[in-house]
Amino acid sequence: MRCSLFQQPIYATAAGPSEGGTGSQTANAYLSCFCCCVQLPEGVTPFIQITQNVFLRRKHKKLKEDDIAICQCKYDTSDPESACVERCLNVLTNTECTPGYCQCGDTCENQIFQKREYAKTKLFRTNGCGWGLLADENIKAGQFIIEYCGEVISSEAAKKRSHVYEAHEVKDTYMISLDTNYVIDSTRKGNFARFLNHSCRPNCETRKWTVLGETRLGIFAMKDISVGMELTINYYFEWCAGATVRCLCGAANCCIFLGAKSQQFKEYNHVWKDGTDRYKVEPSNRSHKNYNIGSGSTAKMKSQRIPKWKKSRCTPKRKVKFSSRKQVIKGSTRRSHQVRGDKKTKSL
Ligand SMILES: C[S@@+](CC[C@H](N)C(=O)[O-])C[C@H]1O[C@@H](n2cnc3c(N)ncnc32)[C@H](O)[C@@H]1O
């Protein structure tokens, strides 16, 4: 996928109970990615496994003593919540405590990125979405699961790289925006967070934390997640150009295309290729089974200007011949939909 990156949500995600994985829990789990460098199963495009972000063109920031945020917590053996848990001033501002400066010392609970206190997860082969990550233990709502690691590059560099990836026919996107200026790209270097698939009704979310002066991105559980369930986030894709990818999350509120909510997703150029499982819809027990454009047929959409009245964040759906679109739209809980012939589009 080209010139696309997934965004940090800028508002609280409003997903309810998640049934919206990528519907692939039946596939085999392969590897535990509890540790950092594991052998990848056959079929996974190789990448360099890293345990912390790699900065291009600059070194990790060195935190000046004056900039170190010191909380007021003091560990009290009779109160397990005393060692930098919810009441900690640093926790309240999404800032990790700095070792050597926190009065709780080794008992400080607020160094989860630094200590890589990841949940147990497993890489597995999904049905249709490539590889995915599943919970290898029961995970509690709010729990830190894994940091999203990769190369930290400028937004400009990210755009250039997108074009290079496009030229090399890299189909998957592994870029996520860190803030307005920087993007984490885990295409070439990353950790297992890069295997998190998208769901329009995810069970995980990204959160930004300041760790030793750097902004870092963590994946956190939005709800209790049982062992064996696929872990998903909402990519909030910024779709700019290139091929469209059908969303196979199966959630009732599914936007059907990755990036369909993006402002850029108004004109598009899309070709469904036979034989590329990532981009075709397999007849399955998913709610998408009625979107019958797979099964050997090739639907093509040429880039074209769409009349203003037709434009909505999900307009592209109109261009694909789904066998029973109406059913899907009826069942949708999205607040913004433009149905054929309906000129009104409610704002989000
Ligand atoms: C960050 S990667 C996720 C890992 C990827 N599945 C793999 O095998 O490496 C993002 C890519 O996975 C695929 N993907 C993720 N979520 C998807 C979804 N809900 N529906 C269809 N494809 C999805 C898309 O091709 C997307 O570009």
Side-chain angles (χ1 to χ4, degrees):
M1 196 154 60
R2 291 74 165 167
C3 194
S4 319
L5 53 103
F6 38 107
Q7 303 283 303
Q8 263 274 85
I10 45 174
Y11 46 85
T13 49
S18 166
E19 260 78 54
T22 50
S24 25
Q25 283 80 355
T26 50
N28 293 328
Y30 280 86
L31 290 173
S32 168
C33 51
F34 196 49
C35 57
C36 57
C37 261
V38 291
Q39 201 183 339
L40 299 169
E42 213 176 303
V44 175
T45 309
F47 64 99
I48 297 168
Q49 293 178 50
I50 53 174
T51 53
Q52 57 175 8
N53 284 336
V54 172
F55 293 88
L56 299 188
R57 301 190 197 291
R58 75 165 172 89
K59 290 184 177 166
H60 278 267
K61 276 181 196 163
K62 247 192 170 176
L63 198 56
K64 288 185 197 143
E65 195 146 10
D66 285 354
D67 295 335
I68 296 173
I70 302 172
C71 64
Q72 292 163 357
C73 303
K74 279 194 188 125
Y75 181 54
D76 171 0
T77 43
S78 64
D79 178 8
E81 298 289 299
S82 60
C84 307
V85 190
E86 279 174 12
R87 297 190 302 258
C88 170
L89 289 178
N90 280 341
V91 171
L92 290 170
T93 54
N94 281 17
T95 307
E96 284 212 341
C97 290
T98 305
Y101 290 83
C102 178
Q103 295 183 73
C104 295
D106 289 344
T107 59
C108 172
E109 299 271 355
N110 184 29
Q111 295 171 26
I112 53 174
F113 281 74
Q114 295 170 74
K115 292 180 180 169
R116 292 190 201 100
E117 290 176 359
Y118 297 167
K120 282 188 182 170
T121 55
K122 269 186 181 171
L123 183 62
F124 77 114
R125 186 79 190 163
T126 71
N127 294 329
C129 294
W131 298 90
L133 210 57
L134 58 77
D136 201 23
E137 65 180 351
N138 290 329
I139 294 173
K140 287 214 157 54
Q143 192 178 326
F144 175 54
I145 296 175
I146 189 169
E147 179 178 358
Y148 196 99
C149 290
E151 293 176 283
V152 180
I153 55 174
S154 69
S155 309
E156 282 308 304
K159 274 183 203 158
K160 285 183 193 157
R161 277 193 181 192
S162 294
H163 293 303
V164 174
Y165 295 153
E166 180 179 4
H168 286 86
E169 297 198 342
V170 176
K171 286 176 183 162
D172 295 319
T173 296
Y174 297 96
M175 290 193 200
I176 186 164
S177 65
L178 184 58
D179 56 33
T180 44
N181 299 320
Y182 290 98
V183 167
I184 303 177
D185 181 8
S186 63
T187 312
R188 297 189 273 212
K189 294 178 186 174
N191 63 353
F192 277 62
R194 76 197 285 283
F195 292 109
L196 285 160
N197 282 318
H198 162 91
S199 172
C200 297
R201 182 159 285 190
N203 52 18
C204 300
E205 63 185 359
T206 55
R207 288 187 206 159
K208 276 193 258 187
W209 273 72
T210 305
V211 183
L212 306 177
E214 296 282 10
T215 305
R216 286 161 69 166
L217 210 64
I219 308 295
F220 291 81
M222 295 170 76
K223 52 173 283 193
D224 289 345
I225 301 170
S226 308
V227 59
M229 281 183 78
E230 181 173 7
L231 303 169
T232 55
I233 53 172
N234 190 326
Y235 286 179
Y236 294 99
F237 249 109
E238 185 56 42
W239 187 93
C240 305
T244 50
V245 176
R246 164 155 318 173
C247 182
L248 299 175
C249 77
N253 64 335
C254 178
C255 284
I256 304 175
F257 290 96
L258 297 186
K261 284 193 171 183
S262 164
Q263 288 289 357
Q264 308 294 322
F265 203 72
K266 289 171 182 167
E267 295 179 26
Y268 52 90
N269 189 339
H270 167 74
V271 180
W272 292 111
K273 288 181 187 166
D274 291 343
T276 47
D277 63 340
R278 193 67 55 82
Y279 300 100
K280 85 170 188 203
V281 171
E282 314 218 288
S284 70
N285 56 0
R286 294 180 188 175
S287 60
H288 281 122
K289 66 185 171 192
N290 294 324
Y291 294 20
N292 199 10
I293 76 166
S295 328
S297 68
T298 303
K300 290 184 184 175
M301 292 183 282
K302 286 191 173 170
S303 182
Q304 52 189 287
R305 205 154 261 298
I306 298 167
K308 213 174 185 180
W309 68 268
K310 289 183 184 174
K311 286 184 179 179
S312 81
R313 291 174 188 197
C314 277
T315 305
K317 279 183 290 178
R318 298 174 42 92
K319 294 292 166 187
V320 185
K321 284 186 182 170
F322 297 128
S323 59
S324 56
R325 266 191 74 237
K326 271 186 190 166
Q327 285 178 16
V328 178
I329 287 169
K330 214 174 152 191
S332 169
T333 54
R334 289 184 60 253
R335 280 185 291 141
S336 171
H337 249 312
Q338 183 158 3
V339 183
R340 197 180 194 102
D342 177 5
K343 295 181 185 175
K344 283 182 210 156
T345 304
K346 287 178 199 162
S347 59
L348 281 171

